[in-house]
Amino acid sequence: MKKTVLMSAIALGAMAATASAADMPARGPAVAQAPYMAPLFTWTGFYVGLNAGAAWHGSDNCPGLYGYSSGVIGSRVNAFAPACNSDNAAFTGGVQAGFNWQMGSVVVGLEGDVNWIGNDSRRGFNNYALTSAITGVATYGLDGSPQSNMLGSIRGRLGWSFDRAMLYVTGGAAFRNSGSDEVIYAYNSSGATLASYTVNSGRNNVGWSLGGGLEWAFTNNVSLKLEYLHSQFNAGDGVYLTTGSGVYSGYAFRGDDNRDSIDVMRLGINYRFGGPVAAPVLARY
């Protein structure tokens, strides 16, 4: 009798355990965690920055001596073109801002910059006038100190990205503000100065700029660049100065071939707004 009761209790316990297990929710397959993907670096975005370097100012500026009366330029009276090239180097520094757009490995953009540039070089031209009964054999000279104190540009950029490094070419419009202290003088065959006149002239020029560089991003937002730019300007062939009044009047210096260039090699640092692009999430099951 005891044995029968014990067996019945065991059977009832087993049935209860089976029913409890049947009521529990089924466990599905394990879900794999998505792997971590680091954000992708991109050159896309607005940026601002600073730059500093060296500038070389080359001037191919050959004024000739012409007859002049009541604002009318006459014939050229000197029989030769004087040596008229000047080159000098100076420090330059400024600011830049722009925008890049990256498409695959290609980066296109637009950049504007304004730089202070200190250029100061002397030049001297001696032009021999014709013999006249009034002046005798007189030599007229033009001595100047040309300088460009501001240089800027608006340029397109086309680059090829190697992840955080980018090689690029750039080109567009260039502009500058330039001035010169010009001294007109006349002296006789013995070298004695007969008269001199000093005038400060300033002008704004628009030209073109072309160059290239290498930029490297050492953080997601900050990059360094090494850049070369060549800017070319044509100053025109206007009248410089007349040779004065009285017995030494009747002549004026006029530019025959006025071409100025500025070459810049500089280092720059840019801060780019925004950040890297989030990488796609790839889950494995």
Side-chain angles (χ1 to χ4, degrees):
M1 181 66 179
K2 293 181 178 180
K3 184 177 181 180
T4 301
V5 174
L6 179 60
M7 293 298 293
S8 298
I10 293 174
L12 288 173
M15 291 175 62
T18 301
S20 177
D23 292 337
M24 295 179 64
R27 298 179 63 185
V31 178
Q33 294 291 327
Y36 172 75
M37 299 289 290
L40 300 177
F41 175 78
T42 177
W43 290 97
T44 297
F46 290 95
Y47 63 88
V48 295
L50 304 172
N51 71 79
W56 293 266
H57 182 192
S59 179
D60 182 12
N61 196 330
C62 302
L65 186 66
Y66 288 76
Y68 179 82
S69 177
S70 301
V72 178
I73 293 291
S75 301
R76 182 165 177 162
V77 296
N78 62 316
F80 64 95
C84 51
N85 296 323
S86 62
D87 296 279
N88 66 322
F91 171 81
T92 180
V95 297
Q96 70 268 351
F99 178 79
N100 288 324
W101 180 263
Q102 183 170 353
M103 299 169 290
S105 296
V106 178
V107 182
V108 295
L110 183 68
E111 180 176 287
D113 68 283
V114 178
N115 273 44
W116 174 85
I117 178 171
N119 272 308
D120 192 356
S121 60
R122 301 299 304 182
R123 67 183 180 210
F125 314 106
N126 292 327
N127 292 270
Y128 292 92
L130 296 178
T131 301
S132 73
I134 298 176
T135 63
V137 180
T139 298
Y140 292 89
L142 170 65
D143 187 29
S145 176
Q147 52 187 320
S148 296
N149 50 34
M150 188 274 291
L151 174 68
S153 65
I154 299 176
R155 297 168 285 104
R157 298 207 311 172
L158 176 62
W160 188 266
S161 171
F162 302 90
D163 190 25
R164 292 179 177 269
M166 177 175 60
L167 288 170
Y168 64 90
V169 294
T170 181
F175 51 90
R176 69 169 183 176
N177 173 266
S178 60
S180 183
D181 291 326
E182 307 282 3
V183 181
I184 293 289
Y185 57 90
Y187 57 91
N188 60 23
S189 58
S190 300
T193 299
L194 304 176
S196 64
Y197 310 88
T198 302
V199 173
N200 178 270
S201 61
R203 59 183 181 270
N204 295 297
N205 297 132
V206 177
W208 54 266
S209 183
L210 186 65
L214 170 65
E215 190 164 359
W216 175 64
F218 61 92
T219 75
N220 288 332
N221 297 96
V222 183
S223 60
L224 291 174
K225 70 175 182 177
L226 176 64
E227 185 175 71
Y228 166 76
L229 289 176
H230 172 81
S231 300
Q232 187 78 41
F233 303 91
N234 188 341
D237 60 354
V239 176
Y240 281 85
L241 295 171
T242 61
T243 55
S245 59
V247 295
Y248 302 110
S249 64
Y251 302 100
F253 283 95
R254 174 180 175 176
D256 288 340
D257 188 8
N258 294 345
R259 292 191 302 271
D260 289 336
S261 64
I262 300 176
D263 294 275
V264 173
M265 180 67 75
R266 61 191 181 186
L267 285 171
I269 184 169
N270 288 327
Y271 180 84
R272 188 173 54 263
F273 299 96
V277 176
V281 176
L282 303 176
R284 295 181 297 179
Y285 297 94

